């Protein structure tokens, strides 16, 4: 079934699908959308098997790539503290002032928030008969549990491409035999000057807030002092994430530009980690440690890496 709309709010467009049936959402003859495919993370070569978590460029792709929150307005507001990087003037004596910058905790109120994991639906490229290029999801079961996931997945296609196909039959030939994930950019091994790393971090978090950038820079600079063997920057839907690899210690530290996230520590080898989906990395309980971004963070990093 071909669907051409701006977006959907229900699955009435899939009323013909049976409960428990597997479906894929696809963009057929995708080569005419080359620029948009590159925008969400595919290479300019559009090779068979390329697989990405689409870049977070609109609400549907953000919910697919990052944790999201919905306010529970049935409950009273609660106090929380927002971390801000704040530049202000303070008295320096003799009628003079000076500029100082530091992190401050600002008390605010909001409704309690319900946290939801990202849907983490990946897109893959597959060349079909007569060389036709298709961009497809993995099979998703049509059931009540997946209702919001399917709505969001359809909206990813509609908001980016303006159309999609929903397939239940004979889609197996559209699933790539070999998957090549493009979610990470690995720097050559060896030491890299901090100024070079800082420029890279500026690039991968250019649209984030001043506070979020400062948090990432400070934590990355502190971890980098322990001389990791390699760095890997997240691409597409992983954009804003950095992995510091300490291969001899078999320690891989995942840091991000998102202030609410903790630092994740993994003991698996990098080749294994690089093939995981974002849901598997963040929600699969595969990490060895989760270091909260608080006043004890540096002490925790010291204990982790000074071994």
């Amino acid at each position: 079934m071909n669907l051409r709309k701006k977006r959907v709010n229900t699955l009435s467009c899939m009323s013909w699908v049976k409960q428990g049936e597997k479906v894929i959402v696809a963009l057929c003859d995708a080569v005419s959308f080359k620029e948009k495919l590159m925008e969400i993370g595919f290479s300019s070569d559009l090779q068979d098997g390329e697989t990405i978590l689409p870049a977070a460029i609109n609400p549907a792709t953000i919910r697919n790539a990052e944790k999201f929150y919905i306010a529970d307005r049935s409950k009273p507001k609660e106090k929380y503290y927002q971390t801000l990087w704040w530049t202000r003037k303070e008295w320096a004596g003799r009628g003079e002032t000076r500029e100082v910058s530091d992190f401050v905790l600002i008390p605010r109120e909001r409704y309690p928030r319900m946290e939801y994991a990202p849907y983490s639906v990946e897109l893959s490229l597959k060349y079909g008969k007569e060389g036709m290029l298709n961009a497809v999801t993995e099979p998703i079961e049509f059931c009540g549990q997946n209702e919001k996931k399917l709505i969001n997945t359809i909206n990813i296609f509609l908001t980016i491409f303006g159309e999609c196909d929903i397939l239940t039959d004979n889609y197996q030939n559209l699933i790539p035999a070999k998957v090549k994930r493009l979610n990470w950019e690995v720097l050559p091994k060896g030491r890299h000057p901090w100024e070079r790393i800082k420029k890279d971090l500026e690039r991968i978090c250019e649209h984030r807030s001043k506070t979020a950038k400062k948090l990432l820079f400070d934590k990355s600079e502190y971890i980098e002092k322990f001389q990791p063997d390699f760095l890997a920057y997240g691409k597409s839907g992983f954009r804003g994430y950095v992995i510091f690899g300490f291969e001899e210690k078999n320690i891989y530290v995942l840091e991000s530009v998102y202030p609410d996230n903790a630092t994740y520590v993994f003991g698996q080898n990098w080749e294994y980690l690089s093939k995981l989906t974002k849901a598997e990395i963040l929600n699969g309980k595969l990490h060895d440690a989760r270091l909260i971004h608080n006043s004890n963070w540096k002490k925790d990093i010291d204990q982790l890496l000074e071994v």
Side-chain angles (χ1 to χ4, degrees):
M1 173 185 174
N2 183 261
L3 190 63
R4 295 174 183 265
K5 301 179 72 172
K6 291 185 177 180
R7 60 175 292 111
V8 298
N9 297 315
T10 70
L11 291 181
S12 59
C13 59
M14 298 177 64
S15 59
W16 50 277
V17 181
K18 298 176 182 178
Q19 285 290 317
E21 197 170 10
K22 294 288 184 68
V23 304
I24 69 167
V25 186
L27 177 70
C28 300
D29 195 17
V31 71
S32 58
F33 296 92
K34 182 176 180 177
E35 289 187 5
K36 292 186 180 295
L37 291 170
M38 291 172 58
E39 182 184 359
I40 61 174
F42 288 109
S43 77
S44 59
D45 297 328
L46 299 181
Q47 295 182 356
D48 192 275
E50 287 188 8
T51 298
I52 62 161
L53 182 69
I57 61 174
N58 62 35
T61 51
I62 291 173
R63 286 190 293 271
N64 191 57
E66 297 299 332
K67 289 188 292 186
F68 59 97
Y69 304 86
I70 296 179
D72 184 354
R73 297 180 181 274
S74 67
K75 297 179 180 178
K77 289 185 177 181
E78 60 184 12
K79 180 181 287 188
Y80 77 102
Y81 291 89
Q82 181 181 13
T83 302
L84 290 177
W85 178 248
W86 194 11
T87 300
R88 65 187 187 279
K89 291 184 177 181
E90 67 177 17
W91 292 107
R94 297 182 180 180
E96 296 182 355
T97 60
R98 62 182 178 186
E99 266 195 0
V100 295
S101 298
D102 55 17
F103 290 107
V104 296
L105 294 175
I106 306 297
R108 301 188 187 281
E109 284 192 343
R110 68 184 176 197
Y111 289 105
R113 300 192 304 170
M114 296 177 287
E115 180 183 300
Y116 293 87
Y119 297 116
S120 298
V121 174
E122 295 183 324
L123 301 188
S124 298
L125 297 182
K126 172 65 176 178
Y127 284 90
K129 295 180 179 179
E130 300 178 356
M132 179 181 289
L133 177 64
N134 305 282
V136 301
T137 67
E138 68 268 26
I140 303 172
E141 182 179 353
F142 182 71
C143 62
Q145 184 178 353
N146 286 337
E147 179 182 1
K148 292 182 178 179
K149 179 179 181 177
L150 281 165
I151 291 172
N152 196 76
T153 301
I154 292 170
N155 283 333
I156 289 174
F157 283 80
L158 296 182
T159 54
I160 296 174
F161 309 112
E163 65 176 275
C164 67
D165 287 281
I166 300 171
L167 308 175
T168 58
D169 297 321
N170 301 319
Y171 60 71
Q172 287 77 9
N173 61 344
L174 295 182
I175 305 299
K178 292 185 178 180
V179 167
K180 179 185 178 183
R181 286 193 167 90
L182 306 180
N183 292 325
W184 297 97
E185 172 191 353
V186 183
L187 270 65
K189 289 187 178 182
R191 298 287 294 153
H192 297 276
W194 168 246
E195 288 304 315
R196 153 75 194 280
I197 297 173
K198 188 176 180 181
K199 286 183 180 179
D200 290 339
L201 296 180
E202 285 276 8
R203 172 174 54 84
I204 68 175
C205 62
E206 58 184 342
H207 299 302
R208 302 299 300 180
S209 69
K210 180 171 61 176
T211 298
K213 289 179 182 178
K214 181 63 177 174
L215 282 167
L216 177 62
F217 292 166
D218 284 4
K219 287 176 169 51
S220 295
E221 185 174 17
Y222 195 81
I223 296 170
E224 199 274 334
K225 290 178 181 178
F226 290 91
Q227 301 184 10
D229 298 304
F230 74 88
L231 278 77
Y233 300 134
K235 298 166 59 179
S236 307
F238 283 77
R239 189 178 179 89
Y241 288 81
V242 185
I243 283 185
F244 299 85
F246 299 86
E247 293 180 302
E248 290 187 4
K249 300 175 181 179
N250 201 31
I251 293 175
Y252 301 88
V253 181
L254 176 67
E255 191 53 73
S256 84
V257 74
Y258 303 97
D260 291 338
N261 283 356
T263 300
Y264 289 81
V265 182
F266 298 87
Q268 290 95 339
N269 63 72
W270 163 245
E271 287 76 15
Y272 173 72
L273 281 180
S274 66
K275 295 175 183 177
L276 296 177
T277 66
K278 196 168 190 179
E280 289 170 331
I281 288 178
L282 299 182
N283 304 322
K285 298 182 180 179
L286 300 176
H287 50 276
D288 291 353
R290 185 174 180 270
L291 310 182
I292 305 299
H293 292 170
N294 58 24
S295 58
N296 292 323
W297 183 85
K298 287 186 177 180
K299 181 180 178 181
D300 292 337
I301 289 292
D302 291 342
Q303 291 177 345
L304 174 73
L305 298 177
E306 289 181 345
V307 294

